[in-house]
């Protein structure tokens, strides 16, 4: 039986988030420039997005550019932005064909105008698609998101729109960039690094974590199915005892 056939379609994660890491090292291993790795990383994005649509994952969130990634050499940032524009232009067909809605989280107003325009265009064109939501985290940082949330809620408290006693988890959820998404069930990071790098800190509170040494440009559908199979073999107790779940 193929890995795909082994998946239990009744126990799929509703929301998978991926820290797509290792493009630079992949290129270096091949004696090429980092950009070559980023270019090849876009193939994995297409593969994994398609895999999600095929098996019925409703939400996929990809960490594409962090608030910290602005500190990279200017030339790398520029080429990444250019790559983003060309990928959006070429992938719109795949999104439409697979009935996928595009969404973004992060400080997208920090992105170059051209990128913002392209994003808005694809978001608009795919807004009525219903099979799956693909969220790109762009200029995203979880601390930045939480700071924004706290500021927005504080302003509402100051203006008597919310009373402090009424602030609960749902109020916080409603003010995050991810307000329309369920909590993350499975977080995958490629490239062997075992850290979160400021990604979705609030939203992964009870996510299952899966780390693999595979570099992002080498990450295939089968690697992805392996991660989901691993998830399906775990017992998510949410604080309860194993016996309580039976
Ligand atoms: C991930 O690959 C892509 C981005 C962060 C934009 P890296 O560029 O971080 O690759 P490594 O970690 O240097 O190998
Ligand atoms: C995290 O990868 C950000 C993205 C994948 C977009 P990094 O490569 O930037 O993370 P660190 O700096 O190694 O933690
Ligand atoms: Mg990296």
């Amino acid at each position: 039986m193929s890995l795909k056939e082994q998946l239990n379609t009744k126990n799929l994660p509703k929301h998978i988030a991926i820290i797509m890491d290792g493009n630079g090292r992949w290129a270096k291993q091949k004696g090429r420039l980092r950009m070559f790795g980023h270019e090849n990383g876009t193939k994995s994005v297409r593969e994994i997005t398609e895999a999600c649509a095929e098996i019925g994952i409703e939400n996929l969130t990809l960490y594409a550019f962090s608030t910290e990634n602005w500190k990279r050499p200017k030339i790398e940032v520029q080429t990444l932005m250019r790559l983003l524009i060309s990928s959006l232009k070429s992938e719109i067909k795949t999104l439409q064909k697979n009935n996928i809605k595009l969404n973004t989280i992060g400080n997208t107003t920090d992105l170059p105008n051209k990128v913002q325009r392209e994003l808005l265009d694809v978001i608009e064109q795919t807004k009525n698609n219903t099979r799956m939501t693909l969220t790109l985290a762009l200029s995203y940082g979880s601390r930045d998101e939480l700071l924004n949330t706290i500021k927005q809620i504080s302003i509402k408290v100051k203006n008597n729109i919310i009373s402090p006693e009424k602030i609960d988890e749902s109020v916080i959820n409603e003010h995050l960039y991810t307000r329309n998404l369920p909590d993350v069930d499975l977080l995958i990071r490629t490239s062997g690094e075992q850290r979160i790098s400021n990604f979705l800190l609030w939203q992964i509170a009870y996510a299952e974590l899966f780390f693999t040494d595979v570099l992002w440009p080498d990450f295939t559908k089968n690697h992805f199915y392996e991660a989901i199979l691993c998830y399906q073999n775990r017992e998510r107790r949410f604080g309860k005892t194993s016996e309580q779940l039976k």
Side-chain angles (χ1 to χ4, degrees):
M1 239 198 320
S2 71
L3 288 168
K4 189 181 178 184
E5 284 160 355
Q6 287 173 49
L7 294 173
N8 173 1
T9 50
K10 293 199 178 68
N11 180 26
L12 289 171
K14 283 203 165 47
H15 186 180
I16 300 182
I18 308 183
I19 304 176
M20 312 183 286
D21 198 14
N23 294 351
R25 277 162 285 168
W26 185 88
K28 199 172 174 192
Q29 282 176 1
K30 297 189 156 39
R32 303 290 295 263
L33 296 173
R34 296 179 59 81
M35 208 47 219
F36 185 63
H38 295 314
E39 278 163 15
N40 279 275
T42 63
K43 289 185 197 151
S44 304
V45 171
R46 189 181 314 128
E47 279 243 323
I48 302 314
T49 306
E50 262 177 16
C52 282
E54 283 169 20
I55 62 176
I57 303 293
E58 287 162 20
N59 297 285
L60 173 67
T61 299
L62 301 175
Y63 205 6
F65 194 85
S66 71
T67 44
E68 287 73 27
N69 288 148
W70 290 112
K71 294 180 216 155
R72 290 194 178 190
K74 206 171 160 195
I75 181 79
E76 180 166 346
V77 173
Q78 279 173 347
T79 22
L80 275 169
M81 293 300 149
R82 240 183 283 143
L83 190 61
L84 188 57
I85 296 176
S86 61
S87 305
L88 286 164
K89 281 193 200 298
S90 61
E91 294 315 312
I92 176 89
K93 272 189 252 121
T94 320
L95 298 179
Q96 297 294 38
K97 188 182 91 196
N98 291 293
N99 194 9
I100 300 169
K101 189 206 298 238
L102 185 79
N103 175 40
T104 58
I105 54 173
N107 253 320
T108 43
T109 49
D110 289 349
L111 300 168
N113 287 335
K114 257 183 143 174
V115 177
Q116 290 189 47
R117 275 203 301 275
E118 204 55 47
L119 279 169
L120 283 176
D121 184 39
V122 179
I123 291 170
E124 175 62 27
Q125 285 192 57
T126 61
K127 70 174 182 207
N128 295 320
N129 291 350
T130 51
R131 188 176 183 187
M132 172 186 150
T133 300
L134 169 66
T135 301
L136 295 182
L138 291 166
S139 192
Y140 175 87
S142 192
R143 287 192 169 179
D144 175 65
E145 177 182 40
L146 290 169
L147 273 172
N148 276 333
T149 300
I150 292 166
K151 280 184 196 159
Q152 285 179 53
I153 297 174
S154 306
I155 293 170
K156 289 188 181 170
V157 168
K158 189 175 155 209
N159 295 331
N160 294 318
I161 299 169
I162 305 179
S163 67
E165 308 78 57
K166 287 270 155 67
I167 300 172
D168 58 10
E169 288 192 14
S170 68
V171 170
I172 298 194
N173 280 327
E174 282 157 23
H175 289 82
L176 295 169
Y177 291 128
T178 51
R179 61 185 73 85
N180 298 317
L181 298 170
D183 272 354
V184 176
D185 294 309
L186 171 63
L187 174 74
I188 299 171
R189 182 168 191 152
T190 58
S191 91
E193 308 299 349
Q194 302 197 354
R195 54 176 172 263
I196 303 300
S197 301
N198 202 11
F199 194 40
L200 303 173
L201 299 177
W202 171 274
Q203 299 86 340
I204 61 166
Y206 253 111
E208 294 298 325
L209 310 182
F210 182 88
F211 298 104
T212 169
D213 287 341
V214 177
L215 302 174
W216 179 249
D218 286 332
F219 195 74
T220 60
K221 286 187 182 178
N222 272 337
H223 292 121
F224 184 61
Y225 300 145
E226 261 171 44
I228 300 175
L229 280 169
C230 178
Y231 164 90
Q232 293 187 330
N233 283 316
R234 297 192 191 173
E235 183 177 61
R236 302 186 77 193
R237 290 190 287 279
F238 297 98
K240 296 182 182 171
T241 68
S242 197
E243 289 66 34
Q244 282 177 296
L245 301 172
K246 302 238 154 72

